[in-house]
Amino acid sequence: MDTSQNKYNKAAFGGVVAAIAASLCCIAPVLALVAGTSGMATTFSWMEPFRPYLIALTVLILGLAWYRKLRSRKEAESDCGCAEDEKQSFLQTKKFLLGVTLFAGLMLAFPNYSEVFYSQPKKEIVYVSQSNIVKEVFVVEGMTCAGCEAPVEGKVSKLNGIISVNASYENANTVVEYDKTKVNRAAIITAISSTYYKVVDK
């Protein structure tokens, strides 16, 4: 394999690594729920401020990989008047680079569709006495993007007596309305904590 192909392969794999790193803070909660590993969700939260830079790095690296690939193809055609050698390995093909690019795109967009991994229970219409309704704000640490909100809302919504729940990573909190005769504050904290984010006592 020549030097240009080596650089092309490194660029392609570098793009994948940068894309995964850019979304790791949002992927970790899903992996934590699947693996049942506590603490994993917040392990990579420190990377969130670097996400814009990692996205830019991903685009730059993949752009470089495509440039190298297309340039090497033109050079091969001008040298022999034919297309690139068909015997090249799959890792050197445009199909592979296209697959890498699509995968990187899926990783970068993960926060926008991560809620599909969390089931939301069907809500039934219930009548609650106004005197039994409590609205409380829980301060939650570790949520770093919109993709972090879905697991919190999903877990709390499954509790009996929950009227509404709205998690916000921007405000670092979760606002819950609930029927105090059916559920209590401790149960809500336990539900939030089961998503591996931390509830901070006021």
Side-chain angles (χ1 to χ4, degrees):
M1 189 184 296
D2 60 27
T3 304
S4 64
Q5 287 298 343
N6 275 327
K7 289 180 180 178
Y8 153 75
N9 284 343
K10 286 178 182 177
F13 286 113
V16 171
V17 171
I20 292 173
S23 299
L24 199 54
C25 59
C26 301
I27 296 170
V30 175
L31 297 177
L33 287 176
V34 171
T37 308
S38 62
M40 184 189 291
T42 55
T43 301
F44 300 102
S45 60
W46 63 270
M47 297 182 72
E48 173 60 20
F50 302 103
R51 179 171 163 75
Y53 304 105
L54 290 168
I55 291 173
L57 181 62
T58 302
V59 173
L60 180 66
I61 291 174
L62 288 176
L64 179 63
W66 275 106
Y67 171 75
R68 289 185 182 280
K69 182 63 183 173
L70 297 175
R71 186 182 69 172
S72 65
R73 182 179 181 87
K74 285 182 181 179
E75 288 174 353
E77 289 175 349
S78 64
D79 287 345
C80 65
C82 58
E84 281 185 287
D85 184 6
E86 294 180 0
K87 293 181 181 179
Q88 63 184 344
S89 72
F90 177 70
L91 295 180
Q92 298 172 342
T93 64
K94 283 202 296 187
K95 288 182 180 178
F96 171 73
L97 183 55
L98 179 61
V100 166
T101 304
L102 292 174
F103 177 78
L106 285 172
M107 290 296 98
L108 293 178
F110 187 82
N112 299 319
Y113 63 84
S114 61
E115 65 273 3
V116 302
F117 294 96
Y118 306 99
S119 60
Q120 295 286 348
K122 292 181 180 179
K123 284 291 182 183
E124 297 179 4
I125 298 174
V126 292
Y127 296 97
V128 181
S129 172
Q130 191 67 35
S131 62
N132 291 333
I133 296 176
V134 176
K135 184 176 183 179
E136 190 164 356
V137 178
F138 297 87
V139 178
V140 182
E141 284 185 349
M143 294 191 296
T144 56
C145 66
C148 301
E149 298 167 353
V152 173
E153 292 177 353
K155 282 287 186 179
V156 175
S157 293
K158 289 179 181 179
L159 296 174
N160 188 30
I162 299 298
I163 298 167
S164 69
V165 54
N166 182 23
S168 170
Y169 84 94
E170 292 176 332
N171 298 325
N173 66 25
T174 301
V175 181
V176 184
E177 272 190 299
Y178 60 95
D179 181 349
K180 66 181 182 182
T181 65
K182 295 182 179 179
V183 68
N184 57 35
R185 187 174 189 274
I188 295 170
I189 291 175
T190 299
I192 295 173
S193 299
S194 71
T195 63
Y196 311 118
Y197 298 111
K198 183 181 180 183
V199 178
V200 180
D201 289 330
K202 299 176 189 177

